[in-house]
């Protein structure tokens, strides 16, 4: 498998690492995790990764961890977990075949093969990533027309949906929505004094029971107080007039229409 | 004068003038009925051979670009592209070769939890997009590459990814151990016995630790 | 290889990639010392003769442009945009997550009057459709996404739209999340039939019907 593409990749760091323990330890920062270290070590065996000796790899890795610790280089926990796991795997691989099969544990050879596969895969991806990087890159190595003609020729509209952009667009707005200050327009109310004045003027006409709805002014469509406001203010004004004794009010039952009628002057009030 | 030469001239002019790559259909739509665009493209391509600009296919469409070996001239045009970290590059490769792929699968290949920024950067740069959801429990989101990825790296299509065929043949693009994968023979570890001691490296650490870990696994 | 052919290639590439016409001096500055730019330009000019593009001198500088007789090809074409405008993208996002949604509701989230144009663009692109009428006073039309939307975004169905968990995983939602913030699950809205009426395309929106309906309620 090795070298099927990009034969001349630079694995200097990995090579140095195996010659000289310190080089590797210093490079740990550059590695992302135990699997990357394992890959660097595995490459030093100079065999097809699929034929890798996992026992040997385990030894190499344990030696690496050992050196790192002796230099008081603090290793992240997952490096140590990997060390423990490899030590255990190695011991299982070295045991005589009739492994006292621990419950549902897969055979050690299968586990080892799996590790080799993961390393081969990661290796392939590393090489792929470098191979991609070596391709002529747009606006780095190759360039398109610097000044497309005044008349733009645009490719056909093949809309490529971008869910990430969709999500970002959504979240951006929801955020804005939340932090937007809410400034409701104050509703225009029908002033009580106006209602009172109007009702007083209407008194002479209210000589029969008349529904409140019929008395309150009708709203203008576009501006001015709403119907509800006209009704409410007229009702309030009418109650005041009732209190004053100028008006009578009547309602058959709760929520039924309210009727108003002018109160005839009482003899005793005279 | 609808001859091949005329068609070639037209395509050349259109591709020069275009602000982005054009598909065969884009071209055909602007050319006289019945024009053999594919043949003209091939002829043009040869004509450009060895010139300062060349005709290439990217993301299934065609564009004219400067020859790669003249990159050194283009100091003024060069945009310093946002440098991708090693982690981001590796992630991009994994997505390109395995798409559609879930975040968990990416992490499994790399053996590390994807740091938050890695995928974001690729998504933001428009090199990677969310493709949909896997029909498995949890219905994880899957990722794939965009046309812009192909355009950036000058690839006609995904099959053109370097080494793709070899990797496929070797089963390296499967997510699980392919059936033919050889199991390493532990007996080949000839020098196992003389390093036995190194097992102790954890300082004879409690067997419980090993035990625990195995338990977790 | 500083021969004339190489110089020609370089000039070709430089003129192609340049954002504006280049003078002989501009070119000479970027070419190897002693290159005969003038001669190369003349040679290139001849080489372009009869091709789809030509080398012309404008105000003492040089540029490559499409041949004058092919101007008819360069008619401007207003295609639907390949990328949605920001406003369209935002409106589409709200419709996708909140469908079925009325125009007033879209405006409430966006905080701007949804320009009629934005919705029209989305309708025209076939990404959005009118779904029905909300059973509320005024019976406003509700909007939702189409199958084309799903195709464009590579989704099998609306349930595949990334949800809040996915947004969190990508770092789109961070800790200073407004309290009570939630992202609706549009897949639950698929049978909104109990809150809205199907849009009657026959224009049978007879007022009697509304009357009847209100009576039933």
């Amino acid at each position: 498998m090795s070298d099927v593409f990009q034969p001349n990749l630079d694995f200097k760091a990995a090579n140095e690492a195996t010659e000289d323990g310190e080089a590797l330890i210093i490079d740990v920062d550059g590695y992302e995790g135990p699997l990357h270290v394992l890959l660097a070590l595995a490459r030093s065996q100079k065999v097809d990764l699929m034929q890798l000796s996992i026992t040997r790899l385990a030894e190499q890795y344990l030696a690496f961890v050992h050196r790192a610790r002796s230099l008081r280089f603090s290793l992240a926990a997952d490096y140590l977990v990997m060390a423990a796991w490899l030590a255990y795997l190695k011991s299982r691989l070295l045991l005589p075949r009739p492994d006292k099969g621990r419950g549902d544990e897969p055979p050690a050879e299968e586990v080892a093969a799996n590790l080799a596969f993961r390393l081969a895969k990661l290796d392939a991806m590393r090489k792929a990533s470098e191979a991609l990087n070596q391709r002529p890159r747009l606006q780095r190595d190759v360039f398109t027309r610097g000044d497309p003609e005044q008349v733009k020729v645009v490719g056909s509209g093949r809309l490529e949906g971008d869910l990430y952009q969709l999500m970002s667009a959504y979240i951006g707005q929801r955020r804005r929505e939340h932090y937007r200050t809410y400034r409701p327009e104050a509703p225009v109310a029908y002033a009580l004094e106006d209602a009172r004045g109007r009702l007083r003027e209407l008194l002479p006409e209210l000589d029969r029971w008349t529904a409140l709805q019929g008395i309150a002014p009708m709203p203008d469509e576009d501006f001015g107080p709403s119907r509800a406001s006209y009704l409410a203010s007229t009702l309030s004004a009418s109650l005041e007039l009732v209190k004053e004794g100028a008006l009578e009010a009547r309602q058959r039952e709760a929520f039924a229409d309210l009727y108003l009628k002018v109160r005839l002057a009482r003899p005793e009030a005279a | 004068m609808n001859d091949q030469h005329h068609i070639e001239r037209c395509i050349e002019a259109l591709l020069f003038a275009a602000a982005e790559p054009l598909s065969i259909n884009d071209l055909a739509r602007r050319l006289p009925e019945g024009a053999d665009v594919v043949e003209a493209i091939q002829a043009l391509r040869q004509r450009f051979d060895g010139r300062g600009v060349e005709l290439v296919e990217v993301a299934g469409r065609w564009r004219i670009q400067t020859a790669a070996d003249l990159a050194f001239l283009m100091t003024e045009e060069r945009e310093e592209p946002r440098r991708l970290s090693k982690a981001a590059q590796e992630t991009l490769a994994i997505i390109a070769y395995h798409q559609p792929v879930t975040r968990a699968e990416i992490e499994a290949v790399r053996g590390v939890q994807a740091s938050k920024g890695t995928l974001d950067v690729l998504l933001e740069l428009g090199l990677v997009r969310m493709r949909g959801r896997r029909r498995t429990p949890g219905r994880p989101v899957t990722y794939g590459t965009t046309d812009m990825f192909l355009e950036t790296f000058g690839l006609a299509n995904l099959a053109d990814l370097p080494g793709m065929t070899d990797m496929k043949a070797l089963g390296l693009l499967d997510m699980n151990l392919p059936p033919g994968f050889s199991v390493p023979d532990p007996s080949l570890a000839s020098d196992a016995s003389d390093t036995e001691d190194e097992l102790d490296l954890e300082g004879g650490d409690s067997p419980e630790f090993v035990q625990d870990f195995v338990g977790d696994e």
Side-chain angles (χ1 to χ4, degrees), chain A residues 32 36 55 66 85 121 126, chain B residues 87 90 98 110 172 189 201:
Chain A
E32 277 250 44
H36 288 85
T55 31
H66 188 65
W85 182 74
K121 195 175 185 61
R126 286 231 129 166
Chain B
E90 211 172 83
H98 292 84
R110 303 196 60 230
L172 279 175
L201 145 103

Side-chain angles (χ1 to χ4, degrees), chain A residues 32 36 52 55 59 62 66 81 85 102 117-118 121 126 133 135 138 140 143 145 149 156 158 160, chain B residues 16-17 26 61 66 74 78 87 89-90 98 108 110 152-154 172 174 177 184 189 195 201 213:
Chain A
E32 277 250 44
H36 288 85
L52 201 64
T55 31
E59 285 153 17
L62 295 177
H66 188 65
V81 170
W85 182 74
R102 263 183 222 254
F117 174 69
R118 286 182 71 188
K121 195 175 185 61
R126 286 231 129 166
N133 236 342
R135 290 190 63 83
L138 189 63
R140 184 188 71 183
F143 300 84
R145 186 79 189 265
E149 311 262 319
S156 63
R158 189 155 47 115
E160 189 174 295
Chain B
F16 255 93
D26 292 333
R61 295 178 293 155
T66 57
M74 304 296 162
R78 187 162 304 137
Q89 284 176 29
E90 211 172 83
H98 292 84
R110 303 196 60 230
T152 304
F153 290 95
L172 279 175
D174 295 333
L177 198 59
T195 51
L201 145 103
F213 172 69

Side-chain angles (χ1 to χ4, degrees), chain A residues 122-133:
Chain A
L122 184 62
D123 186 51
M125 286 304 114
R126 286 231 129 166
K127 287 178 177 166
S129 145
E130 308 211 15
L132 273 179
N133 236 342

Side-chain angles (χ1 to χ4, degrees), chain B residues 8-183:
Chain B
E8 273 178 46
R9 285 189 73 213
C10 291
I11 293 179
E12 193 177 11
L14 283 168
L15 289 175
F16 255 93
E20 50 184 288
L22 299 179
S23 69
I24 298 285
N25 278 343
D26 292 333
L27 291 167
R29 221 156 9 88
R30 291 183 169 81
L31 294 173
E33 196 103 14
D36 190 340
V37 179
V38 177
E39 197 191 310
I41 289 251
Q42 290 315 325
L44 255 184
R45 211 175 172 181
Q46 278 174 23
R47 193 184 284 276
F48 277 120
D49 198 41
R51 306 294 316 156
V53 293
E54 56 193 15
L55 187 54
V56 294
E57 186 183 3
V58 287
R61 295 178 293 155
W62 294 87
R63 77 168 176 222
I64 295 176
Q65 63 183 36
T66 57
D69 66 312
L70 297 180
F72 70 95
L73 279 176
M74 304 296 162
T75 44
E76 283 178 30
E77 283 76 21
R78 187 162 304 137
E79 289 170 12
E80 210 39 68
R82 191 154 155 200
R83 264 196 79 74
L84 288 178
S85 68
K86 272 258 182 295
Q89 284 176 29
E90 211 172 83
T91 305
L92 180 59
I94 294 168
I95 294 174
Y97 285 79
H98 292 84
Q99 57 189 302
V101 64
T102 67
R103 176 192 273 261
E105 285 166 345
I106 298 169
E107 289 175 351
V109 175
R110 303 196 60 230
V112 226
Q113 289 240 320
S115 69
K116 263 232 162 92
T118 319
L119 255 176
D120 288 22
V121 167
L122 296 174
L123 285 162
E124 245 167 59
L125 287 174
L127 296 172
V128 157
R129 67 190 177 98
M130 298 171 134
R131 285 182 49 145
R133 281 179 191 274
R134 180 72 52 78
R135 304 235 154 278
T136 53
R139 320 196 59 242
V141 170
T142 58
Y143 298 89
T145 52
T146 57
D147 277 359
M148 211 220 274
F149 165 81
L150 295 174
E151 282 174 34
T152 304
F153 290 95
L155 297 162
N157 54 56
L158 287 175
D160 273 10
L161 282 169
M164 184 80 159
T165 345
D166 294 319
M167 284 190 236
K168 239 192 195 135
L170 288 165
L172 279 175
L173 299 184
D174 295 333
M175 270 303 165
N176 296 311
L177 198 59
F181 201 87
S182 65
V183 175

